[in-house]
Amino acid sequence: MSHETACILNAGDDDADVTITIFFADREPVGPYRLTVAARRTLHLRFNDLDDPAPIPRDTDYASVFESDMPIIVQHTRLDSRHSEVSLLSTVAYPEG
Amino acid sequence: MSHETACILNAGDDDADVTITIFFADREPVGPYRLTVAARRTLHLRFNDLDDPAPIPRDTDYASVFESDMPIIVQHTRLDSRHSEVSLLSTVAYPEG
Amino acid sequence: MSHETACILNAGDDDADVTITIFFADREPVGPYRLTVAARRTLHLRFNDLDDPAPIPRDTDYASVFESDMPIIVQHTRLDSRHSEVSLLSTVAYPEG
Amino acid sequence: MSHETACILNAGDDDADVTITIFFADREPVGPYRLTVAARRTLHLRFNDLDDPAPIPRDTDYASVFESDMPIIVQHTRLDSRHSEVSLLSTVAYPEG
């Protein structure tokens, strides 16, 4: 089973509204998932906990894109106990406009 | 044996035509390998599956360069069971012009 | 127990004054922690050793932000023996003005 | 014992002259180490093999800076069998002028 998490940091003084879209190999993307990271706080996200608008299918590879109205830092970790695979991706998300 | 994979994300609304070139320590590069990542889709690539214009030699270190006519994100993972080595490289490939 | 470290490189010819701020999920940030990385030197930092203005709480997830008056390179490693988790983050910190 | 390696890729059509400087916590940097990565080739570097102008001290932490007269990509791996630590750093080095 894959345990995929993201640690989101909002080092600024305003709450950040974040939307996450999940992409798959063989179906349309799911989302947006919406969450708020409070000012000067971290948020530890387990992708398996996302359920609105729909749970993320298990046993299916996916990729995620974060968008935010405030600058945030996303550190992404995937642990796959089947293959002892460690997958890491660090991203800086900035508001687009 | 080395199991090298790449997860490619095309988050855009147009298909991305991707070419991959493989570089070696002691011979000329091989390629281009061509593949298409559909709009709003991921593609999980196993380098061992590449065979046109030629399979990638086994037991040989190599490096890969991705080029794309649309913005894509490439997350690269190498698992080498001989040395428990985990190798990761995340790349953003943009069209050149 | 989590063993979190950072390797800081100051490749320049002037000492770098660095401040670190620690962010949490459910409380105000702690800091600034202050340290100096001498010119042309590395510094290996164990977060558990930081104690001024306050030790970092154990068993609590946190994120760190580095600021420096000189360009430095920070390579961040987290080893979590509970989950065999390896977490890596490489950052380049530049002075803001 | 630490096994530190770097995979250098020169995807261009001109040989790249690379210099490496090694930085320490408590002594002056050592270098430059000089090597050439041929056009359209990779080079797999073991830091323990570097010996001119001097071998890199064993059992000592260090950081390395790569400079090149042509664009290269450096993928850096550190395996520390004492702590099962995996350390990764990917860098793009461009000529300065």
Side-chain angles (χ1 to χ4, degrees):
Chain A
M1 203 176 85
S2 172
H3 300 276
E4 191 159 355
T5 65
C7 181
I8 310 172
L9 168 62
N10 177 8
D13 288 325
D14 295 294
D15 292 359
D17 290 317
V18 179
T19 62
I20 304 171
T21 306
I22 305 292
F23 292 83
F24 302 94
D26 53 7
R27 67 183 87 180
E28 282 293 307
V30 177
Y33 298 91
R34 299 179 188 282
L35 53 87
T36 298
V37 186
R40 299 180 302 280
R41 291 293 186 278
T42 63
L43 188 150
H44 193 75
L45 170 70
R46 297 171 196 276
F47 284 80
N48 286 345
D49 292 344
L50 294 174
D51 61 4
D52 179 11
I56 297 180
R58 310 295 171 95
D59 301 319
T60 301
D61 286 331
Y62 59 88
S64 52
V65 170
F66 288 68
E67 294 172 284
S68 171
D69 66 344
M70 293 287 157
I72 58 172
I73 295 172
V74 180
Q75 189 175 12
H76 202 145
T77 306
R78 179 183 303 159
L79 290 174
D80 186 332
S81 55
R82 289 171 302 177
H83 307 295
S84 308
E85 187 172 345
V86 182
S87 175
L88 296 159
L89 184 58
S90 290
T91 313
V92 180
Y94 285 102
E96 281 194 25
Chain B
M1 203 175 83
S2 173
H3 301 275
E4 192 159 354
T5 65
C7 182
I8 310 172
L9 169 62
N10 176 8
D13 288 325
D14 295 293
D15 292 359
D17 290 317
V18 179
T19 62
I20 304 171
T21 307
I22 305 291
F23 292 84
F24 302 94
D26 54 7
R27 67 184 85 180
E28 282 293 307
V30 177
Y33 299 90
R34 299 178 188 283
L35 51 88
T36 297
V37 185
R40 299 180 303 279
R41 292 293 185 278
T42 63
L43 188 151
H44 193 73
L45 171 68
R46 297 171 195 276
F47 284 80
N48 286 347
D49 291 344
L50 293 175
D51 60 5
D52 179 11
I56 297 180
R58 310 295 172 95
D59 301 320
T60 301
D61 286 331
Y62 59 88
S64 53
V65 170
F66 287 69
E67 294 172 284
S68 172
D69 67 343
M70 293 289 156
I72 58 173
I73 296 172
V74 181
Q75 189 175 11
H76 202 146
T77 307
R78 179 183 301 158
L79 290 175
D80 186 331
S81 55
R82 289 171 302 177
H83 306 295
S84 308
E85 186 172 346
V86 181
S87 175
L88 296 160
L89 184 58
S90 290
T91 313
V92 181
Y94 286 103
E96 282 194 26
Chain C
M1 203 177 83
S2 171
H3 301 275
E4 190 158 356
T5 66
C7 181
I8 310 172
L9 168 62
N10 176 9
D13 288 324
D14 295 294
D15 292 359
D17 291 316
V18 179
T19 62
I20 304 171
T21 307
I22 305 292
F23 292 83
F24 303 93
D26 54 6
R27 66 182 88 180
E28 281 293 307
V30 177
Y33 299 91
R34 299 179 188 281
L35 52 88
T36 297
V37 185
R40 298 179 303 280
R41 292 293 185 278
T42 62
L43 189 150
H44 194 74
L45 170 69
R46 296 171 196 278
F47 284 81
N48 285 346
D49 292 344
L50 294 175
D51 60 5
D52 179 10
I56 297 179
R58 310 296 171 97
D59 301 319
T60 301
D61 286 332
Y62 59 88
S64 53
V65 170
F66 287 69
E67 294 172 284
S68 171
D69 66 344
M70 294 287 156
I72 58 172
I73 296 172
V74 180
Q75 189 174 11
H76 202 146
T77 306
R78 180 183 301 160
L79 290 174
D80 186 332
S81 53
R82 290 171 301 176
H83 307 295
S84 308
E85 187 172 345
V86 182
S87 176
L88 296 160
L89 184 59
S90 290
T91 313
V92 180
Y94 286 103
E96 280 196 25
Chain D
M1 202 175 83
S2 173
H3 300 276
E4 191 159 355
T5 66
C7 181
I8 311 172
L9 168 62
N10 176 8
D13 287 325
D14 295 293
D15 292 359
D17 291 317
V18 178
T19 62
I20 304 170
T21 306
I22 305 291
F23 291 84
F24 302 94
D26 54 8
R27 66 183 87 180
E28 282 292 307
V30 177
Y33 298 90
R34 298 179 189 283
L35 52 88
T36 298
V37 186
R40 298 181 302 279
R41 291 293 186 279
T42 63
L43 188 150
H44 193 73
L45 171 70
R46 297 171 195 277
F47 284 81
N48 285 347
D49 292 343
L50 294 175
D51 60 5
D52 180 9
I56 297 179
R58 309 296 171 94
D59 302 319
T60 302
D61 286 331
Y62 58 88
S64 53
V65 170
F66 288 68
E67 294 173 284
S68 171
D69 67 343
M70 294 288 157
I72 58 172
I73 296 172
V74 181
Q75 188 175 12
H76 202 146
T77 306
R78 180 184 301 160
L79 290 174
D80 187 331
S81 53
R82 290 172 300 178
H83 307 295
S84 307
E85 186 172 347
V86 182
S87 175
L88 296 159
L89 184 59
S90 290
T91 312
V92 180
Y94 285 103
E96 281 194 25

